[in-house]
């Protein structure tokens, strides 16, 4: 995860402070006037809050108007309708005529088990696993509706692929060979697993993940059934752009895609307009032992057929009900996680 310089509230000219100035410069949560550049003022009541004192934490000044928790509390979260046709349309799930047999997951999984059986003996390499969807169709609808709620609330369009928009980086710029120190190549078997993961989602076989809203963390993701170690959780998706175009961007979820030797060729994924569940998986506080213990995912960039792809993968078994976390600073050390819950 990368963090670039953000817009901040301009500081007042040096002058003798009045009582009203002192009130304006104090955080309602901690009572301190320290870090005035990170003090955010409510557009309704004009009270101040440090970005890092808010729950959920803000890492940058938000675009447009911002209202403090007291002024915002009356706004209720609007859940996405738990209606199958609406959910299928929202996620563009493939529809199959009754006369056409749907692709068999059993066959796909049988093939993977057969290939993997010899690895138990050789132990040469542990391979990635596809997710195991919930058996209950109604539960899968609830999981999909929870993601649709988060996406619509944040004004984000669902996309399970990297997107290349006019005016941003073209697809030709996504060249894994440009990676500064080289990039791990995803094996043929693991590439098949990644493609299986994509195909499963396209036909409505959804990952067992639930997006929930926490008053301290905001939208966050938890396992809705046991998830095995090395399971592909999701690919980090969004608009691909040059890092140089995003130096002063207000987005708070940019992900590194390509670290090129030439900075002008480096790429980031921007999930603020188009994305998937990856946008709502939170990061650990990697400044405390307790925070580091919460990590149950790893973020890995792979060379997939010559292009860079970023995957979130389980790094241990994850029991049902446990929330998902990974280290935002896996490649850089620029994201301020010291105030994370």
């Amino acid at each position: 995860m990368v963090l670039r310089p953000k817009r901040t509230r301009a500081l007042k000219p040096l002058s003798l402070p009045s009582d009203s100035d002192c009130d304006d410069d104090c955080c309602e949560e901690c009572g301190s006037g320290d870090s005035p550049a990170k003090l955010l003022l409510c557009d309704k009541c004009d009270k101040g809050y440090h970005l890092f004192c808010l729950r959920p934490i803000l890492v940058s000044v938000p675009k447009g108007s911002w209202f403090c928790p007291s002024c915002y509390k009356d706004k209720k979260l609007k859940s996405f309708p738990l209606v199958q046709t609406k959910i299928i349309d929202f996620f563009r799930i493939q529809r199959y005529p009754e006369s056409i047999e749907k692709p068999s997951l059993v066959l796909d999984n049988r093939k993977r088990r057969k290939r993997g059986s010899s690895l138990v003996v050789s132990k040469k390499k542990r391979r990635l696993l596809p997710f195991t969807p919930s058996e209950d169709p109604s539960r899968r609808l609830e999981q999909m509706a929870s993601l649709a709620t988060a996406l619509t609330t944040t004004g984000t369009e669902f996309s399970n692929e990297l997107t290349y928009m006019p005016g941003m980086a073209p697809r030709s710029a996504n060249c894994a060979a440009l990676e500064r120190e080289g990039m791990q190549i995803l094996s043929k078997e693991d590439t098949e697993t990644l493609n299986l993961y994509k195909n499963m989602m396209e036909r409505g076989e959804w990952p067992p993940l639930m997006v929930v809203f926490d008053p301290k963390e905001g939208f966050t993701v938890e396992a809705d059934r046991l998830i095995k170690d090395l399971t592909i959780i999701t690919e980090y998706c969004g608009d691909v752009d040059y890092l140089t175009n995003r130096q002063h961007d207000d987005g708070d979820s940019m992900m590194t895609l390509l670290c090129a030797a030439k900075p002008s060729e480096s790429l980031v994924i921007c999930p603020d307009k188009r994305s998937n569940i990856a946008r709502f998986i939170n990061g650990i506080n990697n400044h405390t032992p307790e925070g580091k213990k919460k990590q149950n995912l790893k973020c890995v960039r792979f060379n997939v057929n010559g292009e860079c792809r970023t995957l979130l993968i389980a790094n241990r078994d994850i029991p049902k009900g446990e929330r998902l976390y990974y280290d935002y600073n896996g490649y850089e050390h620029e994201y301020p996680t010291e105030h994370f819950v």
Side-chain angles (χ1 to χ4, degrees), residues 20-40:
S20 60
D21 288 335
C22 292
D23 291 339
D24 288 343
D25 290 337
C26 291
C27 174
E28 294 293 319
E29 292 293 333
C30 69
S32 169
D34 295 341
S35 304
K38 296 185 178 181
L39 198 63
L40 184 62

Side-chain angles (χ1 to χ4, degrees), residues 58-108:
L58 293 179
V59 296
S60 64
V61 177
K63 297 178 181 178
S65 299
W66 177 83
F67 301 100
C68 70
S70 298
C71 295
Y72 189 78
K73 64 182 179 181
D74 294 332
K75 186 173 181 179
K76 295 182 179 180
L77 186 67
K78 185 178 180 180
S79 298
F80 193 88
L82 195 60
V83 179
Q84 182 174 352
T85 54
K86 291 183 178 294
I87 292 174
I88 288 176
D89 290 340
F90 183 87
F91 290 107
R92 301 183 291 279
I93 302 299
Q94 293 179 356
R95 300 172 185 265
Y96 293 90
E98 293 183 0
S99 60
I100 300 178
E101 185 179 355
K102 297 180 181 180
S104 173
L105 285 180
V106 177
L107 178 60
D108 288 334

Side-chain angles (χ1 to χ4, degrees), residues 282-301:
N282 287 327
I284 62 169
N285 182 333
N286 52 12
H287 294 266
T288 66
E290 295 76 15
K292 293 179 180 180
K293 290 179 181 178
K294 294 167 66 174
Q295 181 175 355
N296 48 23
L297 304 182
K298 57 183 177 181
C299 178
V300 188
R301 291 183 295 135

